[in-house]
Amino acid sequence: MSAQTPETRAPETSRMRGLMLVAGREIRVRGLSKANLVSLIVTVVIVGVLAALPTILGGGDDEAEKIGLAGTNASAMEGQLNAMGGFDITMYDSADEAERAVEDGTVDTAVADGTLYSEENPDQSLQAQLDAAWQAATVQTNLADAGLSDAEIATALTPRPLETVTLAEGESDPVTSYFTGLVISIIMFMMLMTPVQYIAMGVVEEKSSRIVEILLTSLKPWQLLGGKVIGLGVISLVNLVAMVAVGLGVSAATGVLADLPPGTASAAVSTIGWWLIALVLFGTLAGGVGSLVSRQEESGSVLTPLIMSLTLSYIGAIFTLNAPTSTFAQVLSIVPPFSAITMPTRMAITTVPAWEIALSIALLVLAAAGALALGAQLYKRSVLYTGSRLKLTEALRRAA
Amino acid sequence: MLEIKDLHKRFGDTVALDGVSLTAAPGEVVGFVGANGAGKTTTMRIAMGVLAADSGRIVYNGAPLDVEARRRFGYMPSERGLYPKMKTAEQIAYFGELHGMSRAEAKRSAAALLEQLNLTERSGDFVQDLSLGNQQRVQLAVSLVHDPEALILDEPFSGLDPLAVDVMGTALKDRAAAGAPVIFSSHQLDLIERLCDSVVIIGNGTIIAAGSVEELKAKEVKQLRVSVQTAQDLSASLPGTVTRDGDDYLVEDADDQEVLRIAAAAGRVTHFAYDQPTIAEIFREAVTR
């Protein structure tokens, strides 16, 4: 019979093919759905705007500050300000002229004979710069008056700056670390919450529409569940990559990119590793508990424990950010499933001993393997059962 | 050859199947008939591997039916199901691929089926936007998309309009003509009579009658119907048990040649034949027995 040709394909290939077909369908139907595309575009636009925001708001800073100088120390001031950079300097013959230039707006600020003229209160950083320049200029003038040569004055005025020696290696700015940790915890939370809910919804959809009965004549339950987890994982990852790409692209275009803390890339890669393990853990459990119910309205109640533990993990991660060395943070970042979000967050803010990281990964992988087995069993046993909600114990007692 | 052998299945205290066996030879269309709750759906679900039997076997071409072989089967479950938010053509092609077709083959086959079912212009619509009847046609396309080499269909005709009934009937006949065993259940006994080579009647989880349509009809034949143009009342003169059906005489337990002789002597015999029961009558008889 003509239909027998596919049989020649190795079963191994068709097994993978089934898995990939299911994943592909999820990506096509859910990832390319209007709802997802619209929400992705909206998010990307928001991220883009946020990334461009510092440049838009601070736009004025790029323009050179117009300064008028006159009177005592004017030429020394000019030298100092030029050294600082970012000033557009006009020299005036008298303090009066300089004052008038401020009044008619030719310059923003003027310094003459030890007085600062400004239309409004000058902003603090400008005032600090002018102050510093004034003091340096005064010292310079005084030193020159005392008979020092220009070279001697230059040496006297340029002390060697403090050299910073960081004792703990890799320890970076605490504010940046906090921020990195915060971003990691938020992204991990979102990237787990969304697929978990969609996986459960998808399972219930197939169950409530009874389509699962046709699907299971050509697919194994693990292919159906695994394909869903993979598909929704890919969608989440693509959404995240799109967001990050736009964020980094806009940052690079506006020149903010250089400010990214060092180690961002490696933190991102390791976070994706943590996320993958956590996705297997939460995703398969979501599929398993989703199969316990037959109606979409009931899916919320069975998902509650998963949503709760995700939320607790997130709260734990925030706590860790504030007390990264506490015993609680230490325990939370080792015990699955909380470790999935807590550990990468803790790693961002403090140096975690290698053995803790290794233990945490090992326990999380074990938990994910357990979840995979449990979720797949639950799914296999209850996905074809329709009617009222199955209790967990009932489902496990049912013959597959 | 598809053989269902001695299936037993209990749901809690309820015995759903108690030794159900049936076979479908290549090219044979088997009608599966039974009252609601008799065990048809359970039997078919077990055959398709959707449900596990407590005991019993499904054998296909001499080997136990496995997933690989089942993928080449066409199945329509009694509870219809489609992805509501998936486009019609895409959905049919997806099932083609699940059954092992290449993407191009599956697309081609889906397009051909949609054409056949007059749904071509709905190809790009979401299934949830189709009428119930059209959804049924899509369901039919889903079960036929991979050119199945055997068909197990649970109530394939329920909810179909006359056009779709014809398409379905033709599809069954075509698949059977190509050598596929076909098993389908239906409550529409006229369809069974028209389409099936053999009929299996199930009641309370056991097979109560099975055989070719002719065999079953022959087994049930008892009455001889005689029409005679005569003024006489032959009720008393004819042998055996005689009852009247309008102007006709219905004769049972008698030598037909003797009946003919007496009737012919009385007047002109316009009808002389054994009544052929319909499948519906056989079914009613079998179930109430």
Side-chain angles (χ1 to χ4, degrees):
Chain A
M1 208 169 293
S2 64
Q4 261 169 349
T5 27
E7 203 182 7
T8 47
R9 208 177 282 126
E12 205 60 41
T13 331
S14 72
R15 248 178 245 157
M16 282 318 289
R17 186 165 185 258
L19 190 68
M20 288 308 133
L21 279 172
V22 175
R25 195 201 78 87
E26 292 296 332
I27 294 169
R28 272 204 312 281
V29 172
R30 223 173 277 282
L32 299 181
S33 73
K34 267 195 204 118
N36 185 54
L37 290 180
V38 167
S39 93
L40 179 59
I41 289 169
V42 169
T43 325
V44 159
V45 167
I46 291 175
V47 167
V49 169
L50 282 180
L53 215 49
T55 320
I56 297 170
L57 290 182
D61 285 356
D62 286 354
E63 275 174 50
E65 202 71 39
K66 289 183 191 145
I67 305 289
L69 295 175
T72 336
N73 284 341
S75 61
M77 274 288 280
E78 186 183 14
Q80 291 295 331
L81 290 178
N82 277 335
M84 287 176 180
F87 297 98
D88 177 7
I89 297 161
T90 317
M91 302 297 283
Y92 295 96
D93 292 336
S94 68
D96 283 352
E97 268 182 65
E99 192 182 338
R100 241 175 288 128
V102 174
E103 277 169 10
D104 62 26
T106 318
V107 295
D108 303 315
T109 319
V111 179
D113 292 333
T115 311
L116 196 154
Y117 300 94
S118 179
E119 195 66 27
E120 295 157 13
N121 274 340
D123 82 79
Q124 285 189 341
S125 68
L126 175 64
Q127 191 165 2
Q129 282 178 302
L130 291 176
D131 262 338
W134 173 257
Q135 276 166 27
T138 311
V139 171
Q140 195 182 351
T141 313
N142 291 346
L143 289 174
D145 288 351
L148 266 68
S149 72
D150 283 355
E152 283 168 322
I153 295 170
T155 319
L157 285 181
T158 42
R160 210 162 64 91
L162 279 179
E163 199 178 316
T164 314
V165 177
T166 314
L167 292 178
E169 211 185 328
E171 202 83 20
S172 54
D173 173 25
V175 178
T176 322
S177 304
Y178 187 92
F179 184 72
T180 310
L182 190 65
V183 168
I184 287 177
S185 62
I186 292 173
I187 286 179
M188 283 289 282
F189 180 63
M190 274 173 33
M191 294 252 300
L192 288 171
M193 196 63 122
T194 314
V196 156
Q197 283 171 326
Y198 275 119
I199 288 166
M201 269 172 57
V203 167
V204 179
E205 181 195 41
E206 280 170 2
K207 199 178 160 178
S208 63
S209 72
R210 312 297 165 89
I211 199 167
V212 69
E213 193 163 318
I214 312 177
L215 292 169
L216 287 182
T217 60
S218 40
L219 289 168
K220 290 281 195 187
W222 69 264
Q223 289 175 313
L224 205 46
L225 179 59
K228 268 198 161 37
V229 175
I230 294 173
L232 284 157
V234 169
I235 296 173
S236 298
L237 204 56
V238 167
N239 286 358
L240 180 72
V241 166
M243 273 188 271
V244 171
V246 167
L248 290 185
V250 172
S251 301
T254 54
V256 185
L257 193 58
D259 297 348
L260 274 181
T264 304
S266 67
V269 170
S270 91
T271 303
I272 287 176
W274 288 97
W275 173 75
L276 279 176
I277 310 173
L279 180 71
V280 172
L281 199 166
F282 285 105
T284 49
L285 280 182
V289 298
S291 68
L292 294 177
V293 297
S294 307
R295 281 194 300 273
Q296 210 64 262
E297 309 89 87
E298 297 172 318
S299 63
S301 61
V302 287
L303 267 183
T304 307
L306 279 182
I307 304 280
M308 282 295 285
S309 48
L310 267 175
T311 312
L312 282 177
S313 308
Y314 174 67
I315 294 172
I318 299 298
F319 174 85
T320 302
L321 276 180
N322 294 303
T325 48
S326 64
T327 315
F328 186 67
Q330 199 176 1
V331 170
L332 217 55
S333 62
I334 290 176
V335 177
F338 311 106
S339 52
I341 300 181
T342 316
M343 185 52 106
T345 308
R346 188 170 156 228
M347 281 163 68
I349 199 161
T350 185
T351 311
V352 182
W355 71 267
E356 283 188 31
I357 299 176
L359 179 62
S360 177
I361 291 177
L363 288 180
L364 193 62
V365 167
L366 270 181
L372 187 65
L374 177 69
Q377 280 301 317
L378 273 182
Y379 184 79
K380 197 165 110 186
R381 285 157 196 260
S382 46
V383 74
L384 283 169
Y385 170 90
T386 47
S388 54
R389 179 187 155 184
L390 272 174
K391 286 208 188 83
L392 202 63
T393 46
E394 279 171 353
L396 288 176
R397 241 184 289 123
R398 282 171 62 84
Chain B
M1 175 82 96
L2 177 62
E3 300 163 87
I4 295 171
K5 291 183 167 175
D6 198 26
L7 294 185
H8 289 261
K9 178 75 184 175
R10 301 174 72 97
F11 293 111
D13 295 331
T14 320
V15 177
L17 299 182
D18 189 12
V20 167
S21 300
L22 63 111
T23 53
E28 187 181 20
V29 180
V30 179
F32 200 21
V33 191
N36 291 326
K40 301 188 297 289
T41 295
T42 304
T43 305
M44 293 176 133
R45 291 179 76 175
I46 290 172
M48 283 315 291
V50 175
L51 198 68
D54 296 339
S55 67
R57 287 181 305 142
I58 314 290
V59 178
Y60 179 61
N61 291 341
L65 183 57
D66 59 6
V67 177
E68 281 308 305
R70 254 187 212 116
R71 276 156 58 103
R72 302 191 301 274
F73 278 33
Y75 175 52
M76 196 189 257
S78 59
E79 304 251 24
R80 303 295 148 73
L82 296 165
Y83 286 110
K85 286 176 191 154
M86 198 172 175
K87 287 173 185 159
T88 308
E90 196 184 348
Q91 174 144 215
I92 299 170
Y94 173 63
F95 279 97
E97 282 191 80
L98 283 185
H99 284 291
M101 296 176 112
S102 74
R103 163 136 325 166
E105 276 177 323
K107 276 190 175 163
R108 221 176 304 126
S109 176
L113 277 166
L114 285 171
E115 176 78 49
Q116 221 178 324
L117 292 165
N118 280 338
L119 280 175
T120 305
E121 71 275 21
R122 308 303 301 267
S123 307
D125 291 352
F126 286 125
V127 168
Q128 64 183 4
D129 297 335
L130 301 182
S131 68
L132 209 60
N134 280 341
Q135 289 190 19
Q136 281 281 40
R137 295 193 199 187
V138 177
Q139 191 86 52
L140 166 62
V142 160
S143 63
L144 296 175
V145 60
H146 54 299
D147 201 8
E149 62 177 63
L151 284 173
I152 295 185
L153 309 167
D154 202 350
E155 299 281 351
F157 294 100
S158 82
L160 292 185
D161 60 39
L163 170 71
V165 165
D166 285 347
V167 173
M168 189 59 157
T170 311
L172 297 194
K173 283 289 190 192
D174 285 352
R175 293 318 308 154
V182 176
I183 299 176
F184 77 91
S185 70
S186 182
H187 290 302
Q188 282 150 285
L189 298 168
D190 52 325
L191 278 171
I192 299 253
E193 184 148 15
R194 206 172 81 209
L195 293 170
C196 293
D197 303 309
S198 59
V199 178
V200 174
I201 300 174
I202 186 171
N204 289 327
T206 51
I207 302 296
I208 39 186
S212 73
V213 174
E214 286 72 29
E215 273 168 21
L216 283 178
K217 284 186 172 181
K219 214 184 279 177
E220 295 295 327
V221 165
K222 307 181 289 282
Q223 290 178 334
L224 187 59
R225 180 177 293 270
V226 186
S227 255
V228 192
Q229 288 180 336
T230 175
Q232 285 173 260
D233 185 351
L234 301 177
S235 300
S237 43
L238 288 172
T241 322
V242 180
T243 49
R244 297 293 298 261
D245 181 21
D247 288 337
D248 294 352
Y249 296 94
L250 299 176
V251 186
E252 282 179 69
D253 305 322
D255 175 11
D256 45 21
Q257 294 309 308
E258 195 188 340
V259 173
L260 179 61
R261 200 164 39 74
I262 296 169
R268 196 171 111 81
V269 178
T270 54
H271 182 95
F272 182 83
Y274 281 101
D275 267 358
Q276 286 266 317
T278 62
I279 293 291
E281 284 164 334
I282 295 171
F283 173 65
R284 243 172 257 124
E285 185 79 11
V287 170
T288 49
R289 205 180 297 159

